[in-house]
Amino acid sequence: MDEKYPIGTFQYDGEINQMVINNWIIEIEDLPKQLHEEVKELNDNQLDTPYREGGWTVRQVVHHIADSHLNAYVRMKLALTEEKPTIKPYEEGKWAELTDYSLPVEISLHLLESLHQRWGYLLRNLNKYDLARTFIHPELGEVSIEKNIGLYAWHGKHHLAHITSLCRRMGW
């Protein structure tokens, strides 16, 4: 198994239809509970264990998911309210080195729970024109909301798999 990409990279070449989008939204809505279940019994030493050599700790992964999904939510709202806005990327590796990444994971778990409730509600109420709206990512180019929903459904599962595979390998 590839410890960096335990579920592979995001790839979706099929037709993005309402059924696919609905499944992705369910995955986004379910992530906070799944993440909480996976980390609730971990102690500080376990939370401060990297999921792979040279990788982030479990604690950093949890805080990263909150930061990343908050950015994704804002990017989608920008795309819904502006015409092809150019979004600002951020240095996620440097963010993971900031002091707030040493906080208890419960803080980001609570943030994710609230964020994903709002995000899910927003996504469930988009029409086909909203889903086709786009933003410009300086590195990725033009990204549609519908494809970004898939990317972030994958993103949550990707990082959850980092944690679950570490726990399995360590026998936690």
Side-chain angles (χ1 to χ4, degrees), residues 99-113:
T99 58
D100 63 327
Y101 273 55
S102 66
L103 287 167
V105 294
E106 289 76 18
I107 293 169
S108 283
L109 292 171
H110 291 307
L111 173 61
L112 281 165
E113 183 179 343

Side-chain angles (χ1 to χ4, degrees), residues 20-126:
V20 170
I21 292 168
N22 288 342
N23 287 334
W24 286 338
I25 294 170
I26 289 168
E27 291 172 357
I28 288 171
E29 290 172 329
D30 289 347
L31 177 69
K33 182 179 180 188
Q34 294 171 331
L35 191 57
H36 178 263
E37 286 300 311
E38 196 58 40
V39 302
K40 71 180 181 182
E41 300 295 328
L42 298 181
N43 62 40
D44 281 337
N45 287 336
Q46 293 166 325
L47 289 168
D48 293 328
T49 301
Y51 73 88
R52 68 175 173 86
E53 175 104 15
W56 290 336
T57 66
V58 173
R59 185 184 312 274
Q60 287 173 308
V61 169
V62 172
H63 292 309
H64 162 73
I65 295 169
D67 283 344
S68 178
H69 290 202
L70 185 59
N71 272 283
Y73 177 70
V74 169
R75 290 170 179 177
M76 287 185 188
K77 290 188 86 165
L78 288 170
L80 289 166
T81 59
E82 299 176 20
E83 196 58 40
K84 294 186 182 182
T86 298
I87 58 94
K88 184 175 183 334
Y90 65 101
E91 297 289 336
E92 61 185 35
K94 290 181 180 179
W95 283 36
E97 296 171 4
L98 295 173
T99 58
D100 63 327
Y101 273 55
S102 66
L103 287 167
V105 294
E106 289 76 18
I107 293 169
S108 283
L109 292 171
H110 291 307
L111 173 61
L112 281 165
E113 183 179 343
S114 296
L115 173 63
H116 281 234
Q117 285 178 342
R118 285 191 60 185
W119 199 7
Y121 183 83
L122 176 70
L123 296 177
R124 288 192 177 283
N125 287 284
L126 299 179

Side-chain angles (χ1 to χ4, degrees), residues 117-146:
Q117 285 178 342
R118 285 191 60 185
W119 199 7
Y121 183 83
L122 176 70
L123 296 177
R124 288 192 177 283
N125 287 284
L126 299 179
N127 62 42
K128 66 180 182 177
Y129 303 106
D130 295 331
L131 291 166
R133 292 186 66 88
T134 61
F135 60 81
I136 308 300
H137 189 290
E139 297 160 3
L140 303 175
E142 193 169 342
V143 179
S144 69
I145 288 178
E146 64 186 6

